[in-house]
Amino acid sequence: MKLIEYEIIDHGMEHSQYFQGCGTSFTNFTHVWTGVGDSSKEAYNDALDEMFMDDREAAEKMPTRPSGIRTRPRVPHDSEDVYFYVSIRARLKEGKR
């Protein structure tokens, strides 16, 4: 598939019980992948891995160092079920095969 447009959403640090998720309803996007990690960088890489499993070609066009996605701050070690969440929403177009 061909990557038309995308957006990266840094949801920040949330308790897993309260994270609402991310979807494509009422947007122009066709796909969404959400990653989790101890930092926004880990969460972004997790979302990118999910995207890669669905569409390698589109994932290879994503930035490796998007602005605002950092390795710090990190989730405190004594926090249970608290993670950073990052979503990638994309509009993909079917290509001719």
Side-chain angles (χ1 to χ4, degrees):
M1 287 187 251
K2 182 179 177 187
L3 180 64
I4 305 296
E5 66 177 314
Y6 69 88
E7 77 174 343
I8 299 167
I9 304 165
D10 185 353
H11 301 283
M13 192 173 9
E14 283 274 348
H15 189 280
S16 61
Q17 185 175 357
Y18 300 110
F19 179 66
Q20 295 291 313
C22 186
T24 59
S25 295
F26 307 109
T27 71
N28 291 328
F29 299 108
T30 58
H31 294 74
V32 64
W33 301 272
T34 300
V36 298
D38 287 336
S39 68
S40 60
K41 180 68 174 171
E42 280 186 22
Y44 174 71
N45 287 337
D46 187 42
L48 201 54
D49 286 346
E50 294 294 322
M51 184 181 188
F52 193 83
M53 286 191 279
D54 281 347
D55 192 325
R56 178 183 184 154
E57 189 177 310
E60 288 174 344
K61 294 183 179 171
M62 295 297 295
T64 56
R65 301 176 107 183
S67 65
I69 303 297
R70 306 272 183 253
T71 56
R72 299 228 186 267
R74 298 185 66 78
V75 173
H77 292 303
D78 59 348
S79 300
E80 265 189 52
D81 297 328
V82 175
Y83 305 98
F84 278 87
Y85 294 87
V86 173
S87 296
I88 301 170
R89 286 200 277 206
R91 184 159 53 115
L92 303 177
K93 183 179 179 183
E94 280 291 328
K96 292 183 180 181
R97 294 189 179 223

